[in-house]
Amino acid sequence: SQTIHQWPATLVQPVGSPLSLECTVEGTSNPNLYWYRQAAGRGLQLLFYSVGIGQISSEVPQNLSASRPQDRQFILSSKKLLLSDSGFYLCAWGLTDTQYFGPGTRLTVL
Amino acid sequence: AQSVTQLDSHVSVSEGTPVLLRCNYSSSYSPSLFWYVQHPNKGLQLLLKYTSAATLVKGINGFEAEFKKSETSFHLTKPSAHMSDAAEYFCVVSGRNNDMRFGAGTRLTVKP
């Protein structure tokens, strides 16, 4: 069966510091991978998606970036965090029209 | 383009009473529709999925949803609420390119 992991589970970072969140999937090959952000009291916002290694599509221009160095690894990064980057970050994988979500990372930027 | 509207931001029920969470969708194509549940500080869990087969879809934990094309609705129901059902519920539509559009969510509170 497939499993999706995210780490860290929680993170507190100062404004201006870098960010790296990691997501890995087990039990499947060549999945579509997604990064979402969920701000407090708001719905899910799609940030990036990838259909293959090195292929990244950005949905929202911002100070975040994503990379997919391996088939089942998806990384979300920032060089300098903003206060507005605080939120709950969710990684998801899918092969067809269904997406399966990881446990999420709670990021607080102070 | 496709979109969903969850008609209630918050629903409160008593334990043992029925649950109804309402969702209307808009889609230019034959949509795939989903309901996800999110417990506090957790990821989203797939409850059920509609993909143009039976219009009444049964999911996990006793939930079901009915696809009504004439009403462009996909409401989520459960005959008897349990305390563990308290969570945020998201209605989602998936379009031609498998891009998912999420509703704003409905927070379900279950009172003892």
Side-chain angles (χ1 to χ4, degrees):
Chain A
S1 63
Q2 299 83 12
T3 309
I4 180 168
H5 303 278
Q6 285 186 247
W7 64 89
T10 61
L11 190 60
V12 180
Q13 293 285 93
V15 170
S17 64
L19 173 74
S20 181
L21 303 181
E22 189 164 345
C23 170
T24 59
V25 181
E26 297 176 356
T28 186
S29 296
N30 197 29
N32 295 331
L33 296 173
Y34 307 84
W35 277 112
Y36 291 86
R37 177 169 60 201
Q38 190 175 29
R42 301 179 65 179
L44 274 76
Q45 178 187 33
L46 179 63
L47 301 175
F48 301 95
Y49 69 93
S50 171
V51 298
I53 295 174
Q55 301 178 61
I56 309 295
S57 297
S58 174
E59 288 290 301
V60 182
Q62 56 207 327
N63 69 319
L64 299 172
S65 62
S67 62
R68 184 170 179 174
Q70 300 181 44
D71 180 45
R72 289 168 289 180
Q73 184 185 30
F74 204 24
I75 297 172
L76 183 69
S77 304
S78 174
K79 293 182 179 178
K80 288 186 176 182
L81 283 169
L82 307 173
L83 286 174
S84 58
D85 291 324
S86 291
F88 194 51
Y89 288 81
L90 289 158
C91 181
W93 73 272
L95 289 176
T96 57
D97 61 352
T98 305
Q99 293 180 23
Y100 301 91
F101 288 80
T105 295
R106 173 72 61 191
L107 172 65
T108 303
V109 182
L110 301 175
Chain B
Q2 60 272 8
S3 65
V4 292
T5 302
Q6 292 186 241
L7 301 174
D8 307 290
S9 60
H10 186 207
V11 170
S12 181
V13 302
S14 296
E15 190 175 22
T17 64
V19 175
L20 170 64
L21 305 183
R22 299 182 295 165
C23 172
N24 286 352
Y25 71 92
S26 173
S27 179
S28 303
Y29 324 109
S30 296
S32 294
L33 293 160
F34 308 81
W35 278 98
Y36 286 85
V37 61
Q38 184 182 30
H39 289 89
N41 294 309
K42 301 291 185 183
L44 276 70
Q45 180 184 19
L46 180 66
L47 276 179
L48 50 81
K49 167 184 171 181
Y50 167 79
T51 54
S52 74
T55 57
L56 183 63
V57 182
K58 294 188 182 299
I60 62 171
N61 301 335
F63 284 95
E64 62 182 36
E66 186 172 7
F67 174 75
K68 291 187 176 180
K69 187 175 181 179
S70 61
E71 299 177 10
T72 60
S73 69
F74 190 57
H75 301 334
L76 182 70
T77 60
K78 183 173 181 177
S80 176
H82 191 272
M83 295 298 291
S84 61
D85 294 327
E88 189 94 15
Y89 291 79
F90 293 95
C91 182
V92 183
V93 62
S94 178
R96 179 177 288 177
N97 297 319
N98 293 335
D99 57 320
M100 300 183 99
R101 300 299 174 190
F102 287 78
T106 297
R107 178 170 296 178
L108 176 64
T109 300
V110 182
K111 298 175 291 186

